[in-house]
Amino acid sequence: MAEEKNKYKTTVTIYGQQYTIVGDDPPEHVRKVAKALTEKMKEHKSLNPYLNTTRLAVLTAVNLVMKT
Amino acid sequence: MAEEKNKYKTTVTIYGQQYTIVGDDPPEHVRKVAKALTEKMKEHKSLNPYLNTTRLAVLTAVNLVMKT
């Protein structure tokens, strides 16, 4: 049953905003992903300073999917 | 030289907003990614209707990284 699965609740800061991630991913993994994503967003922002946070997040997501 | 590489410029709509993606990825791939990302964002929005677009995009990106 789904209810029997381990569920973790991790609060992280991504690009200055707090997010609570609930799921099967252990906190140390969620924190690592949050850190990597923040760095990637900062990198994109430095290349495209005119981007607002929504466009920045969408373009970072596009970039991440493109690489998979 | 970087300038000699093939560069594509593709305009796509992601979650209702237009984005121009410049890079080595051919237009058909960019369009596929844009469509997949829009669907993923819509899916997240239906599960979390209170999310604004920025948080939605960030959480979708977290989700995409988590799966890689």
Side-chain angles (χ1 to χ4, degrees):
Chain A
M1 276 166 69
E3 285 75 13
E4 285 170 16
K5 281 170 82 181
N6 270 339
K7 284 274 174 190
Y8 298 101
K9 192 175 172 179
T10 313
T11 300
V12 288
T13 302
I14 301 170
Y15 201 71
Q17 274 207 295
Q18 275 205 343
Y19 295 86
T20 299
I21 315 286
V22 180
D24 303 323
D25 301 277
E28 57 269 34
H29 182 52
V30 176
R31 278 193 281 268
K32 206 172 149 186
V33 168
K35 202 180 165 203
L37 189 56
T38 300
E39 278 165 18
K40 190 57 81 184
M41 286 177 75
K42 282 184 183 168
E43 191 187 314
H44 277 217
K45 182 70 176 179
S46 71
L47 294 169
N48 306 285
Y50 60 87
L51 288 176
N52 68 33
T53 309
T54 301
R55 294 183 74 82
L56 190 62
V58 169
L59 287 173
T60 304
V62 168
N63 200 265
L64 292 166
V65 181
M66 220 88 94
K67 287 186 174 160
T68 58
Chain B
M1 275 166 68
E3 284 77 8
E4 285 172 17
K5 283 171 81 181
N6 270 338
K7 286 274 174 190
Y8 298 102
K9 191 173 173 178
T10 314
T11 300
V12 289
T13 302
I14 301 170
Y15 201 72
Q17 274 207 294
Q18 275 205 344
Y19 295 87
T20 298
I21 316 286
V22 180
D24 303 323
D25 301 277
E28 58 269 34
H29 182 51
V30 175
R31 277 193 281 270
K32 207 172 149 187
V33 168
K35 201 179 165 204
L37 189 56
T38 300
E39 278 166 18
K40 189 57 80 182
M41 285 177 75
K42 281 184 184 167
E43 191 188 313
H44 277 217
K45 181 70 175 178
S46 71
L47 294 169
N48 305 286
Y50 59 88
L51 288 176
N52 67 34
T53 309
T54 302
R55 294 183 74 81
L56 190 62
V58 169
L59 287 172
T60 304
V62 168
N63 200 265
L64 291 167
V65 181
M66 218 88 96
K67 286 185 176 161
T68 58

